[in-house]
Amino acid sequence: MKHPFAKLIGLEVDSTEAGVSTCSIAITETLLNPHKVAHGAVLYALADTGMGAALYPLLAEGELCATIEIKINYYAPVYEGQVSCVTRVINTGKSVVNLESEIFSGERLVAKANGNYARFTPGARRDQTQQRKENGMNAVSEAYPIGTPGTPWGDEERAEWLSRQSRQRSYETDVLSVIERLRPRFDVEQYGRLDYGSESYPLMAIRSRNWRDDLPVVLVTGGVHGYETSGVHGALQFVDQHAEEYAGRVNLLVAPCVSPWAYERIHRWNPNAIDPNRSFHEDSPAEESAALMRLVAPIRDHALVHIDLHETTDTDESEFRPALAARDGKPLEPGGIPDGFYLVDDSENPGPEFQRAIIEAVEAVTHIAPADANGELIGSPEVARGVIQYPLRQLGLCAGITNASYRTTTEVYPDSPRVTPAQCNAAQVVAVCAAIRYALKHP
C-alpha cells in the first residue's frame, strides 16, 4: 500500500503479520527539533503507522481502520541513528482495536504508545451494537450461514465452520513470551500440548516458587473459551504485579490461557466446534479441558479458592449464540448482553459474602452490570447485585473442577464504551486479589 507521508519522512514498514508489525526510520537532520533531538512527532508517526500496519491484516474484506486516539510516553531523547518500532494488537473488540507500540533506539526503549483504532465498513448504516441500543434487543441474523436450520451439524458443516476461522493474534507473542519473562520469579511448567493439524500449542501453568504442602491452594484460570482477552492478560498481570505478595501464605497455580487455538481466533470453541467450558467432566471431548483437569487433580481437594476469569462480549449475541443454535439444530433465542462486570456463583455451593466482597472491590475499577427489566443478567436471575448462579459441575464448567470453598467466574464486558482494555485487565486483577484476601480472612 502506498504511504505518501511515510515516504516523505523516510519511514519504512519492515514487516507485517496478523496483529504484529515492525517499522523503522533513520533519524536525519531534517527530522530534528531546534534542540537537535528527533522531533516527538517522528516517534509518534512510527507508532501510528505501526499500529495501522499491524491491524490491516486482521481486517475483513471491505473493512478499513482509522485512528481514534494514541497516547505516547517519551522515555529518552534520540539524536541520530536508526529507530525501530514493534507494534502488537492487545485487544480486538467488535468495532475498536487496542494496540501497543514499543520504540527503540538500538536496544534502548525510548518511547511507548497505546492507541485505539476504529474498524468499520464504509457506507454501513450502523453496526449491530447500535441496532441493539435503538431496538431494545440484540440484532442477530435469522439464519446462521452454515448448515440447515433445525438440523444439527455433521462433519461437513463443522469442516465448513473451521475453514472460516482465521488467526487474528499470536499465542506465542502475547502469552508464551510473557510467561518466559516470569520464569526467573516463578516455577513454570508445561502441562500438556494441543496438536491441531500443523499447529501445536504448549499448555503452560505458573506456580508459586517454594510450594509448600501445608499451605492452601489458590487456582486462577483464564482463557478457558479462548477469546477472553482480559481473562488471559488479567491472569498474567496478576502474577507479574501481585503473586509474590502471597508467598508463604498460599500456593498459587495459574493457567492463564487454557484454549490457545481459540485465543488466536478470538473464538469460544476449539477447532472441533466444541466449547471447552462445557466439557469439564469425565471423558471430556475437549483436550483443553482434559489437560487442565489432569493438572488440577492433585490439588483438587486442597484448593481454597478457584477464580475463573471470563468475558461477555457483543459477539456472544451476534456470533456465538447463532453458531451454537445452528450447530445443535435448535431455534435461536435472542438475549441481552449485560453492560458491565458480573460474577457467576455456584448454585450448589453458594458463597454470597465472598461474591459481594469481589463486586465491591471491582466497582472501584469498572461499573457493575445492572439487571435487566426482568431482574436477570444474561437470562439468569440476579441473586445479588452483579451476581447470578449456575450449577457449575452439572454444566461442566471450569469453576467446578475443584472442591474449593470459594469459587467464582468473573465476567468482564470489554465492549462497553465506558471501559478501556486496561480497565478490563485491572478488573480481573482486582477480582483475584479480592478473592484471595477474603478467603484468607475466612479460611
Side-chain angles (χ1 to χ4, degrees):
M1 178 184 295
K2 292 183 178 180
H3 197 314
F5 176 73
K7 183 178 180 181
L8 175 68
I9 64 174
L11 192 160
E12 298 286 342
V13 177
D14 300 316
S15 67
T16 63
E17 58 180 279
V20 183
S21 75
T22 58
C23 300
S24 61
I25 192 169
I27 301 302
T28 62
E29 187 175 354
T30 58
L31 301 180
L32 302 180
N33 67 19
H35 303 290
K36 305 298 182 181
V37 174
H39 198 289
V42 176
L43 305 190
Y44 184 98
L46 269 173
D48 192 18
T49 303
M51 289 179 186
L55 178 53
Y56 258 93
L58 299 178
L59 299 179
E61 184 177 354
E63 271 194 315
L64 294 178
C65 65
T67 311
I68 298 174
E69 63 174 353
I70 295 177
K71 177 183 178 182
I72 187 167
N73 292 309
Y74 299 98
Y75 301 136
V78 178
Y79 301 97
E80 60 183 355
Q82 197 81 0
V83 178
S84 60
C85 175
V86 179
T87 299
R88 296 182 177 87
V89 168
I90 301 300
N91 184 68
T92 303
K94 192 173 186 180
S95 57
V96 178
V97 179
N98 181 257
L99 304 98
E100 184 176 85
S101 296
E102 292 184 317
I103 302 169
F104 297 88
S105 176
E107 298 295 321
R108 187 180 189 186
L109 180 67
V110 296
K112 192 171 184 177
N114 186 278
N116 289 321
Y117 270 61
R119 58 187 301 175
F120 59 94
T121 302
R125 188 162 61 94
R126 56 191 176 183
D127 65 16
Q128 290 178 328
T129 304
Q130 185 63 29
Q131 280 184 312
R132 188 176 74 249
K133 292 176 180 176
E134 293 176 2
N135 298 339
M137 61 180 291
N138 288 64
V140 296
S141 58
E142 292 184 1
Y144 195 71
I146 298 173
T148 302
T151 302
W153 287 357
D155 291 343
E156 182 178 341
E157 288 80 15
R158 289 173 185 267
E160 181 181 353
W161 172 84
L162 180 59
S163 71
R164 292 170 178 248
Q165 308 311 310
S166 61
R167 185 172 178 266
Q168 301 187 54
R169 54 189 179 185
S170 169
Y171 173 63
E172 181 175 1
T173 300
D174 297 355
V175 181
L176 296 184
S177 65
V178 178
I179 292 174
E180 278 304 304
R181 292 198 294 270
L182 295 170
R183 191 181 287 272
R185 298 157 53 199
F186 303 93
D187 290 340
V188 174
E189 67 176 284
Q190 180 177 327
Y191 67 90
R193 179 175 289 275
L194 302 175
D195 292 309
Y196 289 129
S198 62
E199 296 180 296
S200 185
Y201 300 91
L203 297 171
M204 307 302 294
I206 304 165
R207 290 181 184 265
S208 301
R209 187 147 288 174
N210 302 317
W211 187 281
R212 285 170 42 188
D213 291 339
D214 61 319
L215 295 178
V217 176
V218 172
L219 174 63
V220 181
T221 48
V224 171
H225 290 295
Y227 78 132
E228 309 98 331
T229 302
S230 70
V232 174
H233 295 288
L236 292 170
Q237 190 171 311
F238 163 75
V239 173
D240 182 39
Q241 297 179 355
H242 297 283
E244 289 167 320
E245 299 170 12
Y246 301 101
R249 302 166 68 192
V250 300
N251 296 318
L252 287 169
L253 176 58
V254 181
C257 189
V258 174
S259 297
W261 184 91
Y263 173 84
E264 292 194 332
R265 275 81 183 169
I266 314 181
H267 214 285
R268 295 175 62 100
W269 296 347
N270 71 15
N272 300 316
I274 294 172
D275 182 354
N277 203 34
R278 293 296 186 276
S279 303
F280 287 94
H281 52 74
E282 190 175 353
D283 299 323
S284 174
E287 180 55 25
E288 295 87 349
S289 310
L292 184 66
M293 288 190 290
R294 289 193 296 269
L295 172 71
V296 170
I299 60 97
R300 176 185 171 96
D301 295 327
H302 304 287
L304 176 63
V305 176
H306 179 190
I307 182 165
D308 191 25
L309 310 181
H310 283 245
E311 291 183 346
T312 301
T313 72
D314 287 339
T315 53
D316 283 51
E317 188 67 15
S318 63
E319 165 62 24
F320 300 138
R321 281 178 180 162
L324 177 63
R327 185 198 69 180
D328 296 346
K330 295 180 179 180
L332 173 61
E333 298 180 1
I337 300 297
D339 182 5
F341 180 93
Y342 65 99
L343 295 173
V344 181
D345 194 4
D346 186 0
S347 61
E348 298 171 336
N349 184 31
E353 295 302 317
F354 172 64
Q355 311 296 329
R356 185 172 71 177
I358 298 173
I359 289 290
E360 290 176 352
V362 170
E363 192 168 20
V365 177
T366 188
H367 59 289
I368 306 304
D372 62 20
N374 297 318
E376 296 179 338
L377 292 169
I378 205 160
S380 295
E382 184 183 49
V383 298
R385 182 166 174 262
V387 181
I388 61 174
Q389 294 180 346
Y390 289 162
L392 301 180
R393 286 200 181 143
Q394 180 181 326
L395 294 178
L397 301 180
C398 181
I401 62 175
T402 74
N403 291 320
S405 301
Y406 300 106
R407 312 172 206 170
T408 196
T409 300
T410 66
E411 295 286 354
V412 167
Y413 178 49
D415 292 319
S416 171
R418 300 167 61 184
V419 301
T420 65
Q423 282 177 290
C424 294
N425 292 345
Q428 304 281 25
V429 173
V430 168
V432 175
C433 292
I436 298 173
R437 187 165 56 247
Y438 181 90
L440 288 175
K441 287 183 179 179
H442 305 85

